[in-house]
Amino acid sequence: MEIDACPPATAANPFHQIPAGLLDGFVRHDLARGCLFAAPGDVRNQVLIIESGRLRVYLAGESRELSLSFLEPGDIYTTHTPTYVEAVSATTLWLMDTRAFARKLASDPSVTPVMMRVLGRLLANAVNLIEDLAFREVPARLARFLTGMAERRGRPLDGGIWLVPLDLGTEDIASLLGSTRQTVSSLLNQWERDGILQRQGRRVLYIHSLDSLRRLGAEA
Amino acid sequence: MEIDACPPATAANPFHQIPAGLLDGFVRHDLARGCLFAAPGDVRNQVLIIESGRLRVYLAGESRELSLSFLEPGDIYTTHTPTYVEAVSATTLWLMDTRAFARKLASDPSVTPVMMRVLGRLLANAVNLIEDLAFREVPARLARFLTGMAERRGRPLDGGIWLVPLDLGTEDIASLLGSTRQTVSSLLNQWERDGILQRQGRRVLYIHSLDSLRRLGAEA
DNA sequence: AACTGTCCGTCGGCTGGCCGACAGTTTGTC
DNA sequence: GACAAACTGTCGGCCAGCCGACGGACAGTT
């Protein structure tokens, strides 16, 4: 699962690496934690750039939600797509109307490659998620999610053990995988019994055999 | 299902409505029927414009394939995403390297909106497909696919009946929906027995009750 | 300590729909 | 018009995993 739930920590805020000219015409805006910023069906289409905080992009069905990605400082997104966007923590971002942005693109071609890269990355993420949903079963998705977390966030300890901070509840993980709390719960406990991993409290995960997880993730 | 398996029918080949300047720098190329044109992991990224014929864009798992879209004359695509692209029938297309195309974009800003629209449409399709896979069951997906075809391609006849050209086999439809031939076949036949629709040969579909289909598509 | 809200583990039932199999039908080709 | 190749309809077996239910563990709060 290539969901970007947990990008690598960077010392500097990547927002400040954005070329100054790009922000011309954007308006600064603050969102409180928990604020729903956009929903499918909104008339206004906007381009947004995150300065600080964290946004969650997700789809909602009858009784389930599926998270597509988490936006972090420096990320650019557009509400063109019919998704919900919600502030997971207090967030500062810069906004511009899609129409106005299109005019900006026409007048300043240097913006184009940035935009292309943004769209390309969104598209690649979406395709990866489609592959997961269409071809992989829940155990494989969970295993891939965990190995991804370990690679991005984990710290290796002695004896091939990895310490992975994990500040998501069972339900949150399930929502990232397009599965349910119960299924994820029983898989995690099964693997704990198998000695593949170990949960420590609610925020920390020890992975004893990353290889086993990789094998599980490659299956099906 | 908003998959663009079937863009709006136009009397003339839509390829010839493409502004002449857009093709500058592209190279004409012919593909035989069945030819695999691109696969994930290819180093070359290309932009392609279809002149005639038909291409299928798809993902492949262990033993199943999922079609993302069928490309028809006038369509533009880019192999940026890790997908397979295959000629379903003999196809003539115009190619350009992504790098070169980026330079073209920079020098001729009028191309940008076209490209943005292409990427935006791909992204919207992908998100819709994710929603379908995550939240909707096969009957709802099929119903939405059919109503989409009717809206885009269909012609209303007398008595609320719609004539919808449909040159896809059962298997093709199933692959667009992430389902199987058997399931789609039995659903279509069930609905035919219910009087909702009627298949005429392999290329034409009559929809007697678009409302029923809409209701089926809204379910789950 | 009792009360309450939130989260986790586990079980059994139920079902959507995948899969294999096979027969029947249409289409294309020589 | 005959033969192959490709497509379609249908059935039954089977299983991943959703869903509801319930009890236990851990906070807080009074």
Side-chain angles (χ1 to χ4, degrees), chain B residues 104-136:
Chain B
K104 182 180 166 69
L105 272 182
S107 68
D108 179 4
S110 75
V111 178
T112 304
V114 178
M115 206 50 206
M116 296 285 287
R117 225 166 305 133
V118 168
L119 286 177
R121 218 196 39 175
L122 287 176
L123 197 52
N125 282 349
V127 170
N128 274 310
L129 184 49
I130 291 171
E131 269 192 306
D132 268 5
L133 291 174
F135 302 131
R136 277 189 266 275

Side-chain angles (χ1 to χ4, degrees), chain B residues 65-118:
Chain B
E65 291 179 358
L66 178 66
S67 300
L68 296 182
S69 150
F70 284 82
L71 302 177
E72 313 235 315
D75 284 344
I76 308 178
Y77 186 71
T78 162
T79 60
H80 232 95
T81 53
T83 51
Y84 296 87
V85 179
E86 171 198 73
V88 169
S89 59
T91 299
T92 301
L93 41 72
W94 294 74
L95 293 176
M96 190 168 183
D97 204 80
T98 307
R99 258 174 217 295
F101 189 75
R103 281 195 296 277
K104 182 180 166 69
L105 272 182
S107 68
D108 179 4
S110 75
V111 178
T112 304
V114 178
M115 206 50 206
M116 296 285 287
R117 225 166 305 133
V118 168

Side-chain angles (χ1 to χ4, degrees), chain A residues 59, chain B residues 1-3 127-137 140-142 144-145 176-177:
Chain A
L59 299 171
Chain B
M1 169 88 51
E2 299 297 329
I3 287 174
V127 170
N128 274 310
L129 184 49
I130 291 171
E131 269 192 306
D132 268 5
L133 291 174
F135 302 131
R136 277 189 266 275
E137 315 200 317
R141 286 184 239 170
L142 178 57
R144 291 165 66 85
F145 170 75
L176 278 167
L177 302 177

Side-chain angles (χ1 to χ4, degrees), chain A residues 26 37-38 46-50 55-59 68-69 71 74-85 94-96 98 115 118-119 121-122, chain B residues 123 127:
Chain A
F26 278 79
F37 172 70
Q46 299 191 297
V47 179
L48 47 90
I49 304 180
I50 288 83
L55 295 179
R56 174 173 161 257
V57 181
Y58 66 99
L59 299 171
L68 296 182
S69 92
L71 303 177
D75 283 345
I76 307 178
Y77 187 71
T78 164
T79 60
H80 231 96
T81 53
T83 51
Y84 295 88
V85 179
W94 295 73
L95 293 175
M96 190 168 184
T98 308
M115 206 51 207
V118 169
L119 288 176
R121 219 199 37 174
L122 287 176
Chain B
L123 197 52
V127 170

